[in-house]
Amino acid sequence: MFDHDVLIIGAGLAGMRAALSAVEAGADVAVVTKVHPVRSHSNAAQGGINAALTDRGDDWREHAYDTIKGSDYLGDQDAIAVMCREAGDEVIAMEHMGVIFNRDDEGRLGTRAFGGQRQARTFFVSDFTGQALLHVLFEQVMKAGVRIYEEWFLLSLIVEDGECAGAVIMEIRSGEIHVVRSKTVIIASGGLGRVFEPSTNALICTGDGMSAAYQVGALLMDMEMVQYHPTTLKGSGVLITEGARGEGAYLLNSKGDRFMERYAPNMMELASRDVVSRAEQTEINEGRGIDGCVLLDVRHLGEAVINERLSQIREIGRDFANVDLLHEPIPIRPGMHYQMGGIKTDVDGQTEVPGLYAAGEAACVSVHGGNRLGANSLLDTLVFGRRSGEHAAEVAKSKGHGTTVSDASADGDRLNIQRLLDNDSSGEMFGKIRREMGDTMNEHLAVYREQNGMETALGELRGLRERYNNVVVPDKSKTFNTNLLFTLELGFMMDCAEAIALSAIERKESRGAHTRTDAPDRDDENWLRHILVKHTDDGPEVEYLPVVITDWEPQVRSY
Ligand SMILES: Cc1cc2nc3c(=O)[nH]c(=O)nc-3n(C[C@H](O)[C@H](O)[C@H](O)COP(=O)(O)OP(=O)(O)OC[C@H]3O[C@@H](n4cnc5c(N)ncnc54)[C@H](O)[C@@H]3O)c2cc1C
């Protein structure tokens, strides 16, 4: 058994930022990650990070307003104010730690325009901003002497007398199962993108922490709000950054029209993501697409801009679509990208379970509401990662370890895994179930949704869960048993998928990314509230919570 003050699950930007602030607050901190830290999905973030800097004539209130409007008024305004107010300091702090942001002609930190915002306030490092941030934070965390359990896998959380007291973790290399006792635990395990197929997310984004927290009583909030990004590559679903449109790229239909003129005459290609994705899907559905796609055209930006600011997507286009975007437009379509919902927390990362925190994409502080603005997620990971780390470290100072936690606390997980390995029936492996789940979600819970389809999805998910109960793991070895790991991940994913389908069926209106063809209007009277899903022994239960409105009354949303 291991002991720590603050245990962080996840080594992406949220986890690393939390680790740094917790260690600076004097706590003994450890980070658990199922992959090497810099292979976390944060590393794939391309476009940038938002902040309104006063010396640029910008104001955090303007950023807050854009975020609130972007969220279709579902984001909690008190939380959004915290994020936008603290954004500038956070970005500057990263710069001081060593992130080499792109600069403008005058040598100041450069910005690019991003969707849904009236000001260019996205700071960036070419089109690999996440990688630049993550590597710098990793250096800082190593320098601070944080213990990293690398390639260790969270199995479950330990709760004693209603408080979180640690976690059960499997060492992937040896298959050994350990108990890590900790005074506080922060879930920073990232998103759940792969619950859908295809997705822009890494294969490791399987919602593990959301499910583990849900299992011990944390609430899942806004789960119906799944972002389909407007520009994902045909076939593979690989992301083409919004930075391309930020730099001036056009969207074209099969007739060569810049169709956004008809959907968002003011903001055009830089309307909010939900708006652009709906426009594309409508063009495709009405026969003005090309093989299920529309086109993204950057040719007019010229070779110099493309090579300096969009070099990675040029490579992606060549490698994954056989298109050189210097010379041809690239086929793209809306694709699953981000989960606005997650584990419900306050602005210090606290969940409903004392001692348990969440930050980053796994969490729902309620800053994204119905639709996240591009480049607000990296900001969310840093601001709320830092705040969770500080708070968790402070709380850990005033409490002891759980007294009943022992090596035996892992017995449930040991039995469960043994049961999986002992199952020699003729059942199936995880792969087909995972694929069918992803296809079902993408068919019925994508850009456009309606009651029958969503109910079909929920029914299919329940059938898949029955099949999962008989799943077989043919590889019985202890060493790097990825067959076992993928099977465990699928268990986490099924909780997430069910919460998404249930919440989506519950919301009887259209708001943000949740667009119902059978209820096309926003209904503030009945639905200006969050949907929460709670785990019970008899299955998931739905609860509601009003949206926090401070200074910004809901308005008609147009771009
Ligand atoms: C292709 C792409 C591009 C993006 N571009 C941008 C952008 O330009 N700007 C922006 O604001 N946002 C962007 N986003 C969104 C943003 O990158 C993510 O929301 C954010 O990085 C998530 O960070 P995180 O720290 O919460 O989680 P992640 O970076 O996903 O890290 C999760 C961590 O949890 C660990 N983990 C998970 N499960 C377990 C387990 N069972 N046991 C142990 N460890 C576990 C993983 O090993 C990993 O270390 C992009 C997303 C994608 C997919």
Side-chain angles (χ1 to χ4, degrees), residues 10-14 33-35 40-42 44-48 152-154 188-190 201 208 239 337-338 360-361 375 377-378 381:
L13 284 172
T33 167
K34 64 181 173 180
V35 295
S40 303
H41 187 62
S42 291
Q46 301 172 351
W152 284 42
F153 185 87
L154 169 76
S189 53
N201 286 199
D208 307 4
L239 183 78
H337 179 58
Y338 184 81
E361 193 167 337
S377 171
L378 293 186
T381 65

PDB file of all heavy atoms in Angstrom, residues 10-14 33-35 40-42 44-48 152-154 188-190 201 208 239 337-338 360-361 375 377-378 381, ligand 1:
ATOM      1  N   GLY A  10      -4.522  11.055 -13.696  1.00  0.00           N
ATOM      2  CA  GLY A  10      -4.421  11.698 -15.004  1.00  0.00           C
ATOM      3  C   GLY A  10      -3.256  12.658 -15.069  1.00  0.00           C
ATOM      4  O   GLY A  10      -3.037  13.461 -14.157  1.00  0.00           O
ATOM      5  N   ALA A  11      -2.487  12.563 -16.147  1.00  0.00           N
ATOM      6  CA  ALA A  11      -1.303  13.396 -16.319  1.00  0.00           C
ATOM      7  C   ALA A  11      -1.415  14.264 -17.562  1.00  0.00           C
ATOM      8  O   ALA A  11      -0.424  14.615 -18.195  1.00  0.00           O
ATOM      9  CB  ALA A  11      -0.054  12.521 -16.393  1.00  0.00           C
ATOM     10  N   GLY A  12      -2.649  14.608 -17.941  1.00  0.00           N
ATOM     11  CA  GLY A  12      -2.841  15.608 -18.989  1.00  0.00           C
ATOM     12  C   GLY A  12      -2.674  16.990 -18.377  1.00  0.00           C
ATOM     13  O   GLY A  12      -2.129  17.139 -17.272  1.00  0.00           O
ATOM     14  N   LEU A  13      -3.153  18.000 -19.079  1.00  0.00           N
ATOM     15  CA  LEU A  13      -2.944  19.364 -18.570  1.00  0.00           C
ATOM     16  C   LEU A  13      -3.632  19.593 -17.222  1.00  0.00           C
ATOM     17  O   LEU A  13      -3.065  20.232 -16.339  1.00  0.00           O
ATOM     18  CB  LEU A  13      -3.451  20.381 -19.596  1.00  0.00           C
ATOM     19  CG  LEU A  13      -2.511  20.557 -20.794  1.00  0.00           C
ATOM     20  CD1 LEU A  13      -3.162  21.425 -21.851  1.00  0.00           C
ATOM     21  CD2 LEU A  13      -1.186  21.172 -20.350  1.00  0.00           C
ATOM     22  N   ALA A  14      -4.832  19.069 -17.046  1.00  0.00           N
ATOM     23  CA  ALA A  14      -5.533  19.289 -15.779  1.00  0.00           C
ATOM     24  C   ALA A  14      -4.768  18.631 -14.630  1.00  0.00           C
ATOM     25  O   ALA A  14      -4.535  19.239 -13.580  1.00  0.00           O
ATOM     26  CB  ALA A  14      -6.959  18.751 -15.860  1.00  0.00           C
ATOM     27  N   THR A  33      -1.084   7.617 -14.148  1.00  0.00           N
ATOM     28  CA  THR A  33      -1.497   7.763 -15.550  1.00  0.00           C
ATOM     29  C   THR A  33      -1.368   6.445 -16.294  1.00  0.00           C
ATOM     30  O   THR A  33      -0.380   5.714 -16.112  1.00  0.00           O
ATOM     31  CB  THR A  33      -0.691   8.875 -16.271  1.00  0.00           C
ATOM     32  OG1 THR A  33      -0.918   8.764 -17.682  1.00  0.00           O
ATOM     33  CG2 THR A  33       0.807   8.785 -16.000  1.00  0.00           C
ATOM     34  N   LYS A  34      -2.337   6.160 -17.142  1.00  0.00           N
ATOM     35  CA  LYS A  34      -2.297   4.864 -17.824  1.00  0.00           C
ATOM     36  C   LYS A  34      -1.349   4.864 -19.013  1.00  0.00           C
ATOM     37  O   LYS A  34      -1.051   3.808 -19.554  1.00  0.00           O
ATOM     38  CB  LYS A  34      -3.703   4.401 -18.217  1.00  0.00           C
ATOM     39  CG  LYS A  34      -4.465   5.238 -19.226  1.00  0.00           C
ATOM     40  CD  LYS A  34      -5.859   4.633 -19.484  1.00  0.00           C
ATOM     41  CE  LYS A  34      -6.720   5.525 -20.365  1.00  0.00           C
ATOM     42  NZ  LYS A  34      -8.055   4.952 -20.611  1.00  0.00           N
ATOM     43  N   VAL A  35      -0.929   6.056 -19.445  1.00  0.00           N
ATOM     44  CA  VAL A  35       0.094   6.126 -20.502  1.00  0.00           C
ATOM     45  C   VAL A  35       1.205   7.062 -20.032  1.00  0.00           C
ATOM     46  O   VAL A  35       1.049   7.764 -19.032  1.00  0.00           O
ATOM     47  CB  VAL A  35      -0.485   6.680 -21.827  1.00  0.00           C
ATOM     48  CG1 VAL A  35      -1.532   5.737 -22.398  1.00  0.00           C
ATOM     49  CG2 VAL A  35      -1.071   8.068 -21.631  1.00  0.00           C
ATOM     50  N   SER A  40      -0.757  11.837 -23.100  1.00  0.00           N
ATOM     51  CA  SER A  40      -2.135  12.187 -22.747  1.00  0.00           C
ATOM     52  C   SER A  40      -2.759  12.959 -23.905  1.00  0.00           C
ATOM     53  O   SER A  40      -2.057  13.613 -24.674  1.00  0.00           O
ATOM     54  CB  SER A  40      -2.142  13.080 -21.503  1.00  0.00           C
ATOM     55  OG  SER A  40      -1.483  12.426 -20.440  1.00  0.00           O
ATOM     56  N   HIS A  41      -4.082  12.936 -23.986  1.00  0.00           N
ATOM     57  CA  HIS A  41      -4.715  13.563 -25.150  1.00  0.00           C
ATOM     58  C   HIS A  41      -4.464  15.067 -25.237  1.00  0.00           C
ATOM     59  O   HIS A  41      -4.476  15.634 -26.333  1.00  0.00           O
ATOM     60  CB  HIS A  41      -6.217  13.265 -25.205  1.00  0.00           C
ATOM     61  CG  HIS A  41      -6.837  13.754 -26.481  1.00  0.00           C
ATOM     62  ND1 HIS A  41      -6.466  13.272 -27.721  1.00  0.00           N
ATOM     63  CD2 HIS A  41      -7.753  14.718 -26.726  1.00  0.00           C
ATOM     64  CE1 HIS A  41      -7.138  13.919 -28.660  1.00  0.00           C
ATOM     65  NE2 HIS A  41      -7.926  14.801 -28.092  1.00  0.00           N
ATOM     66  N   SER A  42      -4.210  15.721 -24.120  1.00  0.00           N
ATOM     67  CA  SER A  42      -3.890  17.157 -24.164  1.00  0.00           C
ATOM     68  C   SER A  42      -2.794  17.449 -25.178  1.00  0.00           C
ATOM     69  O   SER A  42      -2.724  18.538 -25.753  1.00  0.00           O
ATOM     70  CB  SER A  42      -3.386  17.626 -22.791  1.00  0.00           C
ATOM     71  OG  SER A  42      -4.415  17.611 -21.842  1.00  0.00           O
ATOM     72  N   ALA A  44      -2.515  16.451 -28.024  1.00  0.00           N
ATOM     73  CA  ALA A  44      -3.022  16.576 -29.398  1.00  0.00           C
ATOM     74  C   ALA A  44      -3.686  17.917 -29.651  1.00  0.00           C
ATOM     75  O   ALA A  44      -4.052  18.218 -30.786  1.00  0.00           O
ATOM     76  CB  ALA A  44      -4.012  15.449 -29.678  1.00  0.00           C
ATOM     77  N   ALA A  45      -3.868  18.734 -28.612  1.00  0.00           N
ATOM     78  CA  ALA A  45      -4.572  20.009 -28.805  1.00  0.00           C
ATOM     79  C   ALA A  45      -3.780  20.874 -29.768  1.00  0.00           C
ATOM     80  O   ALA A  45      -2.572  21.036 -29.634  1.00  0.00           O
ATOM     81  CB  ALA A  45      -4.782  20.713 -27.477  1.00  0.00           C
ATOM     82  N   GLN A  46      -4.490  21.417 -30.736  1.00  0.00           N
ATOM     83  CA  GLN A  46      -3.797  22.106 -31.813  1.00  0.00           C
ATOM     84  C   GLN A  46      -3.916  23.623 -31.704  1.00  0.00           C
ATOM     85  O   GLN A  46      -2.942  24.358 -31.624  1.00  0.00           O
ATOM     86  CB  GLN A  46      -4.389  21.639 -33.161  1.00  0.00           C
ATOM     87  CG  GLN A  46      -4.279  20.138 -33.380  1.00  0.00           C
ATOM     88  CD  GLN A  46      -5.024  19.638 -34.625  1.00  0.00           C
ATOM     89  OE1 GLN A  46      -5.776  20.369 -35.255  1.00  0.00           O
ATOM     90  NE2 GLN A  46      -4.792  18.388 -34.977  1.00  0.00           N
ATOM     91  N   GLY A  47      -5.168  24.101 -31.661  1.00  0.00           N
ATOM     92  CA  GLY A  47      -5.451  25.494 -32.000  1.00  0.00           C
ATOM     93  C   GLY A  47      -5.000  26.556 -31.027  1.00  0.00           C
ATOM     94  O   GLY A  47      -4.504  27.609 -31.426  1.00  0.00           O
ATOM     95  N   GLY A  48      -5.185  26.353 -29.711  1.00  0.00           N
ATOM     96  CA  GLY A  48      -4.771  27.398 -28.794  1.00  0.00           C
ATOM     97  C   GLY A  48      -5.583  27.472 -27.516  1.00  0.00           C
ATOM     98  O   GLY A  48      -6.385  26.592 -27.223  1.00  0.00           O
ATOM     99  N   TRP A 152       0.106   3.065 -14.854  1.00  0.00           N
ATOM    100  CA  TRP A 152      -0.715   2.450 -13.822  1.00  0.00           C
ATOM    101  C   TRP A 152      -2.158   2.806 -14.166  1.00  0.00           C
ATOM    102  O   TRP A 152      -2.435   3.885 -14.690  1.00  0.00           O
ATOM    103  CB  TRP A 152      -0.365   2.987 -12.421  1.00  0.00           C
ATOM    104  CG  TRP A 152       0.913   2.427 -11.864  1.00  0.00           C
ATOM    105  CD1 TRP A 152       2.083   2.224 -12.531  1.00  0.00           C
ATOM    106  CD2 TRP A 152       1.131   2.014 -10.508  1.00  0.00           C
ATOM    107  NE1 TRP A 152       3.024   1.711 -11.674  1.00  0.00           N
ATOM    108  CE2 TRP A 152       2.457   1.576 -10.416  1.00  0.00           C
ATOM    109  CE3 TRP A 152       0.334   1.977  -9.362  1.00  0.00           C
ATOM    110  CZ2 TRP A 152       3.027   1.103  -9.238  1.00  0.00           C
ATOM    111  CZ3 TRP A 152       0.889   1.509  -8.179  1.00  0.00           C
ATOM    112  CH2 TRP A 152       2.222   1.065  -8.115  1.00  0.00           C
ATOM    113  N   PHE A 153      -3.071   1.920 -13.838  1.00  0.00           N
ATOM    114  CA  PHE A 153      -4.443   2.050 -14.341  1.00  0.00           C
ATOM    115  C   PHE A 153      -5.437   2.099 -13.175  1.00  0.00           C
ATOM    116  O   PHE A 153      -5.490   1.167 -12.358  1.00  0.00           O
ATOM    117  CB  PHE A 153      -4.725   0.840 -15.253  1.00  0.00           C
ATOM    118  CG  PHE A 153      -6.051   0.872 -15.948  1.00  0.00           C
ATOM    119  CD1 PHE A 153      -6.198   1.522 -17.163  1.00  0.00           C
ATOM    120  CD2 PHE A 153      -7.161   0.234 -15.396  1.00  0.00           C
ATOM    121  CE1 PHE A 153      -7.423   1.541 -17.821  1.00  0.00           C
ATOM    122  CE2 PHE A 153      -8.385   0.256 -16.050  1.00  0.00           C
ATOM    123  CZ  PHE A 153      -8.518   0.908 -17.261  1.00  0.00           C
ATOM    124  N   LEU A 154      -6.205   3.181 -13.110  1.00  0.00           N
ATOM    125  CA  LEU A 154      -7.225   3.292 -12.058  1.00  0.00           C
ATOM    126  C   LEU A 154      -8.312   2.240 -12.266  1.00  0.00           C
ATOM    127  O   LEU A 154      -8.886   2.144 -13.353  1.00  0.00           O
ATOM    128  CB  LEU A 154      -7.894   4.676 -12.125  1.00  0.00           C
ATOM    129  CG  LEU A 154      -9.159   4.822 -11.265  1.00  0.00           C
ATOM    130  CD1 LEU A 154      -8.815   4.984  -9.793  1.00  0.00           C
ATOM    131  CD2 LEU A 154     -10.025   5.978 -11.736  1.00  0.00           C
ATOM    132  N   ALA A 188      -8.578  13.609 -12.987  1.00  0.00           N
ATOM    133  CA  ALA A 188      -8.222  14.464 -14.132  1.00  0.00           C
ATOM    134  C   ALA A 188      -7.969  13.540 -15.315  1.00  0.00           C
ATOM    135  O   ALA A 188      -6.962  13.633 -16.013  1.00  0.00           O
ATOM    136  CB  ALA A 188      -6.989  15.294 -13.795  1.00  0.00           C
ATOM    137  N   SER A 189      -8.908  12.624 -15.507  1.00  0.00           N
ATOM    138  CA  SER A 189      -8.686  11.521 -16.447  1.00  0.00           C
ATOM    139  C   SER A 189      -9.183  11.808 -17.856  1.00  0.00           C
ATOM    140  O   SER A 189      -9.227  10.908 -18.689  1.00  0.00           O
ATOM    141  CB  SER A 189      -9.345  10.258 -15.898  1.00  0.00           C
ATOM    142  OG  SER A 189     -10.692  10.539 -15.599  1.00  0.00           O
ATOM    143  N   GLY A 190      -9.598  13.057 -18.116  1.00  0.00           N
ATOM    144  CA  GLY A 190      -9.905  13.430 -19.490  1.00  0.00           C
ATOM    145  C   GLY A 190     -11.287  13.002 -19.965  1.00  0.00           C
ATOM    146  O   GLY A 190     -12.148  12.627 -19.166  1.00  0.00           O
ATOM    147  N   ASN A 201     -10.755  12.074 -30.689  1.00  0.00           N
ATOM    148  CA  ASN A 201     -10.006  11.800 -29.462  1.00  0.00           C
ATOM    149  C   ASN A 201      -9.063  10.609 -29.606  1.00  0.00           C
ATOM    150  O   ASN A 201      -9.326   9.694 -30.394  1.00  0.00           O
ATOM    151  CB  ASN A 201     -10.970  11.481 -28.314  1.00  0.00           C
ATOM    152  CG  ASN A 201     -11.699  12.704 -27.775  1.00  0.00           C
ATOM    153  OD1 ASN A 201     -12.212  12.677 -26.666  1.00  0.00           O
ATOM    154  ND2 ASN A 201     -11.771  13.785 -28.540  1.00  0.00           N
ATOM    155  N   ASP A 208     -12.897   6.796 -18.132  1.00  0.00           N
ATOM    156  CA  ASP A 208     -12.684   5.931 -16.961  1.00  0.00           C
ATOM    157  C   ASP A 208     -13.011   6.651 -15.650  1.00  0.00           C
ATOM    158  O   ASP A 208     -13.722   6.124 -14.793  1.00  0.00           O
ATOM    159  CB  ASP A 208     -11.215   5.459 -16.877  1.00  0.00           C
ATOM    160  CG  ASP A 208     -10.721   4.808 -18.160  1.00  0.00           C
ATOM    161  OD1 ASP A 208     -11.477   4.776 -19.137  1.00  0.00           O
ATOM    162  OD2 ASP A 208      -9.569   4.354 -18.174  1.00  0.00           O
ATOM    163  N   LEU A 239      -8.801  15.340 -36.354  1.00  0.00           N
ATOM    164  CA  LEU A 239      -9.172  16.756 -36.279  1.00  0.00           C
ATOM    165  C   LEU A 239      -8.344  17.638 -37.206  1.00  0.00           C
ATOM    166  O   LEU A 239      -7.135  17.482 -37.316  1.00  0.00           O
ATOM    167  CB  LEU A 239      -8.961  17.254 -34.846  1.00  0.00           C
ATOM    168  CG  LEU A 239      -9.380  18.710 -34.638  1.00  0.00           C
ATOM    169  CD1 LEU A 239     -10.888  18.824 -34.513  1.00  0.00           C
ATOM    170  CD2 LEU A 239      -8.723  19.315 -33.426  1.00  0.00           C
ATOM    171  N   HIS A 337     -16.075  15.258 -30.801  1.00  0.00           N
ATOM    172  CA  HIS A 337     -14.818  15.887 -30.408  1.00  0.00           C
ATOM    173  C   HIS A 337     -14.671  16.086 -28.907  1.00  0.00           C
ATOM    174  O   HIS A 337     -13.572  15.977 -28.364  1.00  0.00           O
ATOM    175  CB  HIS A 337     -14.724  17.241 -31.107  1.00  0.00           C
ATOM    176  CG  HIS A 337     -13.496  18.036 -30.791  1.00  0.00           C
ATOM    177  ND1 HIS A 337     -12.230  17.546 -31.016  1.00  0.00           N
ATOM    178  CD2 HIS A 337     -13.335  19.272 -30.269  1.00  0.00           C
ATOM    179  CE1 HIS A 337     -11.335  18.474 -30.648  1.00  0.00           C
ATOM    180  NE2 HIS A 337     -11.978  19.515 -30.177  1.00  0.00           N
ATOM    181  N   TYR A 338     -15.757  16.396 -28.219  1.00  0.00           N
ATOM    182  CA  TYR A 338     -15.580  16.873 -26.832  1.00  0.00           C
ATOM    183  C   TYR A 338     -16.846  16.643 -26.034  1.00  0.00           C
ATOM    184  O   TYR A 338     -17.953  16.742 -26.564  1.00  0.00           O
ATOM    185  CB  TYR A 338     -15.279  18.373 -26.877  1.00  0.00           C
ATOM    186  CG  TYR A 338     -14.979  18.984 -25.525  1.00  0.00           C
ATOM    187  CD1 TYR A 338     -13.707  18.862 -24.960  1.00  0.00           C
ATOM    188  CD2 TYR A 338     -15.967  19.654 -24.805  1.00  0.00           C
ATOM    189  CE1 TYR A 338     -13.444  19.394 -23.720  1.00  0.00           C
ATOM    190  CE2 TYR A 338     -15.692  20.201 -23.559  1.00  0.00           C
ATOM    191  CZ  TYR A 338     -14.427  20.073 -23.019  1.00  0.00           C
ATOM    192  OH  TYR A 338     -14.146  20.601 -21.790  1.00  0.00           O
ATOM    193  N   GLY A 360     -10.633  19.401 -15.503  1.00  0.00           N
ATOM    194  CA  GLY A 360     -10.364  19.109 -16.911  1.00  0.00           C
ATOM    195  C   GLY A 360     -11.600  18.545 -17.593  1.00  0.00           C
ATOM    196  O   GLY A 360     -12.725  18.740 -17.137  1.00  0.00           O
ATOM    197  N   GLU A 361     -11.361  17.831 -18.692  1.00  0.00           N
ATOM    198  CA  GLU A 361     -12.515  17.374 -19.477  1.00  0.00           C
ATOM    199  C   GLU A 361     -13.378  16.384 -18.694  1.00  0.00           C
ATOM    200  O   GLU A 361     -14.575  16.255 -18.961  1.00  0.00           O
ATOM    201  CB  GLU A 361     -12.056  16.770 -20.814  1.00  0.00           C
ATOM    202  CG  GLU A 361     -13.230  16.578 -21.767  1.00  0.00           C
ATOM    203  CD  GLU A 361     -12.842  16.269 -23.209  1.00  0.00           C
ATOM    204  OE1 GLU A 361     -11.708  16.612 -23.610  1.00  0.00           O
ATOM    205  OE2 GLU A 361     -13.681  15.696 -23.927  1.00  0.00           O
ATOM    206  N   ALA A 375     -10.769  26.520 -27.835  1.00  0.00           N
ATOM    207  CA  ALA A 375      -9.684  27.106 -27.036  1.00  0.00           C
ATOM    208  C   ALA A 375     -10.098  27.479 -25.616  1.00  0.00           C
ATOM    209  O   ALA A 375      -9.313  28.051 -24.868  1.00  0.00           O
ATOM    210  CB  ALA A 375      -9.031  28.298 -27.740  1.00  0.00           C
ATOM    211  N   SER A 377     -11.135  24.950 -23.641  1.00  0.00           N
ATOM    212  CA  SER A 377     -10.929  23.735 -22.865  1.00  0.00           C
ATOM    213  C   SER A 377      -9.534  23.712 -22.245  1.00  0.00           C
ATOM    214  O   SER A 377      -9.367  23.363 -21.074  1.00  0.00           O
ATOM    215  CB  SER A 377     -11.129  22.505 -23.736  1.00  0.00           C
ATOM    216  OG  SER A 377     -10.720  21.377 -23.010  1.00  0.00           O
ATOM    217  N   LEU A 378      -8.534  24.094 -23.026  1.00  0.00           N
ATOM    218  CA  LEU A 378      -7.190  24.145 -22.453  1.00  0.00           C
ATOM    219  C   LEU A 378      -7.208  25.100 -21.264  1.00  0.00           C
ATOM    220  O   LEU A 378      -6.602  24.853 -20.222  1.00  0.00           O
ATOM    221  CB  LEU A 378      -6.171  24.603 -23.502  1.00  0.00           C
ATOM    222  CG  LEU A 378      -5.940  23.637 -24.667  1.00  0.00           C
ATOM    223  CD1 LEU A 378      -4.806  24.146 -25.544  1.00  0.00           C
ATOM    224  CD2 LEU A 378      -5.630  22.232 -24.184  1.00  0.00           C
ATOM    225  N   THR A 381      -8.792  23.391 -18.279  1.00  0.00           N
ATOM    226  CA  THR A 381      -7.902  22.418 -17.623  1.00  0.00           C
ATOM    227  C   THR A 381      -6.922  23.131 -16.685  1.00  0.00           C
ATOM    228  O   THR A 381      -6.670  22.667 -15.583  1.00  0.00           O
ATOM    229  CB  THR A 381      -7.074  21.586 -18.627  1.00  0.00           C
ATOM    230  OG1 THR A 381      -6.183  22.453 -19.334  1.00  0.00           O
ATOM    231  CG2 THR A 381      -7.920  20.808 -19.598  1.00  0.00           C
TER     232      THR A 381
HETATM  233  C1  LIG B   1      -7.383  16.528 -31.371  1.00  0.00           C
HETATM  234  C2  LIG B   1      -7.809  17.501 -30.281  1.00  0.00           C
HETATM  235  C3  LIG B   1      -7.471  18.837 -30.378  1.00  0.00           C
HETATM  236  C4  LIG B   1      -7.866  19.739 -29.397  1.00  0.00           C
HETATM  237  N1  LIG B   1      -7.515  21.050 -29.514  1.00  0.00           N
HETATM  238  C5  LIG B   1      -7.858  21.921 -28.535  1.00  0.00           C
HETATM  239  C6  LIG B   1      -7.443  23.277 -28.583  1.00  0.00           C
HETATM  240  O1  LIG B   1      -6.739  23.709 -29.505  1.00  0.00           O
HETATM  241  N2  LIG B   1      -7.831  24.107 -27.597  1.00  0.00           N
HETATM  242  C7  LIG B   1      -8.596  23.678 -26.550  1.00  0.00           C
HETATM  243  O2  LIG B   1      -8.903  24.478 -25.672  1.00  0.00           O
HETATM  244  N3  LIG B   1      -8.969  22.378 -26.473  1.00  0.00           N
HETATM  245  C8  LIG B   1      -8.624  21.502 -27.426  1.00  0.00           C
HETATM  246  N4  LIG B   1      -9.020  20.193 -27.323  1.00  0.00           N
HETATM  247  C9  LIG B   1      -9.656  19.725 -26.098  1.00  0.00           C
HETATM  248  C10 LIG B   1      -8.602  19.579 -25.010  1.00  0.00           C
HETATM  249  O3  LIG B   1      -7.387  19.215 -25.586  1.00  0.00           O
HETATM  250  C11 LIG B   1      -8.967  18.535 -23.967  1.00  0.00           C
HETATM  251  O4  LIG B   1     -10.273  18.744 -23.498  1.00  0.00           O
HETATM  252  C12 LIG B   1      -8.005  18.627 -22.791  1.00  0.00           C
HETATM  253  O5  LIG B   1      -6.676  18.582 -23.230  1.00  0.00           O
HETATM  254  C13 LIG B   1      -8.258  17.521 -21.789  1.00  0.00           C
HETATM  255  O6  LIG B   1      -7.238  17.567 -20.818  1.00  0.00           O
HETATM  256  P1  LIG B   1      -7.315  16.694 -19.516  1.00  0.00           P
HETATM  257  O7  LIG B   1      -6.117  17.026 -18.714  1.00  0.00           O
HETATM  258  O8  LIG B   1      -8.641  16.865 -18.883  1.00  0.00           O
HETATM  259  O9  LIG B   1      -7.262  15.189 -20.013  1.00  0.00           O
HETATM  260  P2  LIG B   1      -6.219  14.400 -20.951  1.00  0.00           P
HETATM  261  O10 LIG B   1      -5.187  15.244 -21.535  1.00  0.00           O
HETATM  262  O11 LIG B   1      -7.056  13.579 -21.865  1.00  0.00           O
HETATM  263  O12 LIG B   1      -5.485  13.444 -19.928  1.00  0.00           O
HETATM  264  C14 LIG B   1      -6.139  12.368 -19.303  1.00  0.00           C
HETATM  265  C15 LIG B   1      -5.150  11.640 -18.424  1.00  0.00           C
HETATM  266  O13 LIG B   1      -5.839  10.684 -17.638  1.00  0.00           O
HETATM  267  C16 LIG B   1      -5.145   9.463 -17.651  1.00  0.00           C
HETATM  268  N5  LIG B   1      -6.124   8.375 -17.429  1.00  0.00           N
HETATM  269  C17 LIG B   1      -7.327   8.209 -18.016  1.00  0.00           C
HETATM  270  N6  LIG B   1      -7.911   7.082 -17.561  1.00  0.00           N
HETATM  271  C18 LIG B   1      -7.060   6.535 -16.661  1.00  0.00           C
HETATM  272  C19 LIG B   1      -7.077   5.362 -15.855  1.00  0.00           C
HETATM  273  N7  LIG B   1      -8.097   4.486 -15.867  1.00  0.00           N
HETATM  274  N8  LIG B   1      -6.013   5.110 -15.056  1.00  0.00           N
HETATM  275  C20 LIG B   1      -4.946   5.960 -15.032  1.00  0.00           C
HETATM  276  N9  LIG B   1      -4.878   7.082 -15.779  1.00  0.00           N
HETATM  277  C21 LIG B   1      -5.922   7.368 -16.576  1.00  0.00           C
HETATM  278  C22 LIG B   1      -4.482   9.419 -19.011  1.00  0.00           C
HETATM  279  O14 LIG B   1      -3.357   8.562 -18.966  1.00  0.00           O
HETATM  280  C23 LIG B   1      -4.081  10.884 -19.181  1.00  0.00           C
HETATM  281  O15 LIG B   1      -2.839  11.121 -18.560  1.00  0.00           O
HETATM  282  C24 LIG B   1      -8.622  19.286 -28.294  1.00  0.00           C
HETATM  283  C25 LIG B   1      -8.948  17.934 -28.190  1.00  0.00           C
HETATM  284  C26 LIG B   1      -8.570  17.063 -29.181  1.00  0.00           C
HETATM  285  C27 LIG B   1      -8.991  15.623 -29.044  1.00  0.00           C
END
